[in-house]
Amino acid sequence: MRWVNFLALLLVSIGHAELVVTALNRLHGLRLSCRTLQRLRNLHDVLLPGVPLAMFVFVGFSGPGLLVGGSWSDVPAGWLAWFAACSVGLVGLAASSVRWWLHRPPECQPVNHSSVVDVARRLGYRPVGRGPLRSLTRLPGNQVFQLEIAEKTLALPRLPREWDGLSILHLSDLHFTGTISREFFEHVIDLAAGLRADLAVFTGDLLDRQDLTEWLPATLGRIETPLGRYFILGNHDWFLDPQEIRRELMSLGWTSLVGQVVTIDRRGQRLEIGGTELPWMGGHPEFEEQGARDEGPGQVRGGVSSFGDREPGAFRILLSHTPDQIGWARRQGVDLMLAGHNHGGQVVLPVVGPVYSPSLYGVEYAGGTFWRPPTLLHVSRGVSGRHPLRWNCRPEITKLVLRPA
């Protein structure tokens, strides 16, 4: 056995895996149907082990036989080209891992307190229903029932003093599938309500089964905040009947922000909250242009976005299911962008970090807080997912407390 060649082929296999996963992540950031995405995942499941297996058989043990005394000069040009591509993937994986290790909360997040609640222990039983993939909940180390409750203070340079101390409950990605039972989500909502925020936002992916709209009154319907409750939907809602989901949630007092802006006024200082469900549904919200008429608290505007200059007193919040809209948010001068979708990666490997993240940016915005001037981006890891699996990546609910920098 040529162990040096074995190591080389092993590194090529790792680079190959990075290329396949990178492609899958980016494709999941596009407006593709559920059926198309399933086919892509099936292709991923074949290519991920299949190509390295073929490489070891046809390059390692037969053909040039690199593992049994063969020479690299005998390797066909096609395989050499693929090895070169995989080396690029290996470099990309190393860069991604280093970025993950070096990432720290930005300076404008000076405080981050969190606690973990084992919901299964609180309930006295594992809240598992009859939905698909429920066997995954029994895997060793699965943190699917270990909810992290975070309180983060965000110091934002454009926040008016009149809004000092504003608190936002950020919920995302509930993913009602039936695999995790309703009792789990009811307990999560009890904990969220106990945070006593000024306003609540939900950033998409509510349902994976249409009939589970019947869970909404006992869950999101019980959230009450003095400055309102605002939501957008996500791609999993788009796979179902998003208009029915929207109607059900609005009937419970939540305000849909798809392509719209709500303005709240406090002592003459405006807070603008807009929402986008792109690339799946609707359009971008139209924030107020400089010098435009003040439409008053709570009034809703809709339409295609404009790129006017910022008015000094208008503090802007954007809800987006995916963090991929960060570029648009920055161009609009959004102060705070709240997103979900990426679930923190759900599985975070030692050294490597998160691997799967359905984003055009890959795992860069898998979860956490990121300062991209002039916008502070907070990406929730979400409460659940289609796959009930969490390793080194607990589900979360977050209370954000805003302070003027």
Side-chain angles (χ1 to χ4, degrees), residues 290-352:
Q290 182 179 10
R293 178 174 58 90
D294 187 354
E295 302 188 31
Q299 188 157 344
V300 178
R301 302 186 305 276
V304 181
S305 67
S306 61
F307 292 83
D309 295 331
R310 287 293 310 278
E311 186 171 333
F315 183 85
R316 294 179 177 172
I317 298 176
L318 177 70
L319 308 187
S320 172
H321 179 56
T322 172
D324 289 354
Q325 302 301 323
I326 181 62
W328 183 87
R330 295 178 68 192
R331 292 192 297 272
Q332 292 295 305
V334 168
D335 297 283
L336 177 62
M337 176 176 166
L338 305 177
H341 186 53
N342 292 340
H343 299 191
Q346 285 198 207
V347 174
V348 177
L349 300 178
V351 181
V352 173

Side-chain angles (χ1 to χ4, degrees), residues 232-272:
I232 56 170
L233 299 180
N235 58 308
H236 282 245
D237 306 305
W238 175 61
F239 296 153
L240 303 174
D241 183 348
Q243 297 313 316
E244 180 188 350
I245 298 170
R246 204 181 308 278
R247 286 193 299 269
E248 292 288 338
L249 202 46
M250 291 174 68
S251 72
L252 297 172
W254 285 74
T255 300
S256 174
L257 288 183
V258 55
Q260 296 181 333
V261 175
V262 167
T263 302
I264 306 173
D265 185 87
R266 177 184 287 182
R267 294 195 292 270
Q269 294 294 335
R270 295 201 323 277
L271 178 72
E272 297 180 344

Side-chain angles (χ1 to χ4, degrees), residues 166-207:
L166 175 72
S167 58
I168 303 172
L169 171 64
H170 185 190
L171 301 171
S172 194
D173 296 88
L174 290 178
H175 285 279
F176 294 166
T177 64
T179 303
I180 307 299
S181 71
R182 191 176 75 179
E183 290 78 9
F184 170 81
F185 296 102
E186 289 177 347
H187 195 75
V188 168
I189 294 302
D190 286 340
L191 295 170
L195 295 177
R196 300 185 181 278
D198 295 318
L199 62 87
V201 301
F202 178 74
T203 51
D205 275 3
L206 181 54
L207 302 179

Side-chain angles (χ1 to χ4, degrees), residues 68-314:
V68 290
S71 170
W72 283 91
S73 61
D74 296 328
V75 176
W79 279 109
L80 289 176
W82 180 242
F83 293 167
C86 291
S87 67
V88 175
L90 195 62
V91 171
L93 176 63
S96 173
S97 300
V98 169
R99 182 178 62 235
W100 179 75
W101 272 102
L102 294 180
H103 177 71
R104 297 292 182 271
E107 291 184 2
C108 45
Q109 183 189 309
V111 179
N112 181 14
H113 297 303
S114 65
S115 59
V116 177
V117 174
D118 189 327
V119 176
R121 181 172 296 179
R122 283 276 191 95
L123 293 174
Y125 60 91
R126 298 171 65 256
V128 179
R130 298 182 178 274
L133 305 174
R134 59 183 179 271
S135 59
L136 292 179
T137 64
R138 295 187 176 275
L139 290 177
N142 193 351
Q143 300 172 318
V144 70
F145 300 125
Q146 296 181 24
L147 180 73
E148 182 172 343
I149 305 172
E151 182 171 327
K152 302 177 182 181
T153 297
L154 307 179
L156 296 164
R158 294 185 56 84
L159 184 73
R161 289 191 299 272
E162 289 81 0
W163 288 100
D164 185 13
L166 175 72
S167 58
I168 303 172
L169 171 64
H170 185 190
L171 301 171
S172 194
D173 296 88
L174 290 178
H175 285 279
F176 294 166
T177 64
T179 303
I180 307 299
S181 71
R182 191 176 75 179
E183 290 78 9
F184 170 81
F185 296 102
E186 289 177 347
H187 195 75
V188 168
I189 294 302
D190 286 340
L191 295 170
L195 295 177
R196 300 185 181 278
D198 295 318
L199 62 87
V201 301
F202 178 74
T203 51
D205 275 3
L206 181 54
L207 302 179
D208 283 86
R209 277 176 44 188
Q210 192 73 35
D211 61 305
L212 295 185
T213 53
E214 65 184 20
W215 290 11
L216 293 179
T219 53
L220 289 183
R222 294 192 293 112
I223 294 289
E224 296 289 345
T225 51
L227 294 182
R229 298 163 291 169
Y230 306 93
F231 78 96
I232 56 170
L233 299 180
N235 58 308
H236 282 245
D237 306 305
W238 175 61
F239 296 153
L240 303 174
D241 183 348
Q243 297 313 316
E244 180 188 350
I245 298 170
R246 204 181 308 278
R247 286 193 299 269
E248 292 288 338
L249 202 46
M250 291 174 68
S251 72
L252 297 172
W254 285 74
T255 300
S256 174
L257 288 183
V258 55
Q260 296 181 333
V261 175
V262 167
T263 302
I264 306 173
D265 185 87
R266 177 184 287 182
R267 294 195 292 270
Q269 294 294 335
R270 295 201 323 277
L271 178 72
E272 297 180 344
I273 309 175
T276 178
E277 296 172 355
L278 288 173
W280 301 284
M281 295 176 283
H284 283 308
E286 183 180 356
F287 286 105
E288 187 90 20
E289 291 188 67
Q290 182 179 10
R293 178 174 58 90
D294 187 354
E295 302 188 31
Q299 188 157 344
V300 178
R301 302 186 305 276
V304 181
S305 67
S306 61
F307 292 83
D309 295 331
R310 287 293 310 278
E311 186 171 333

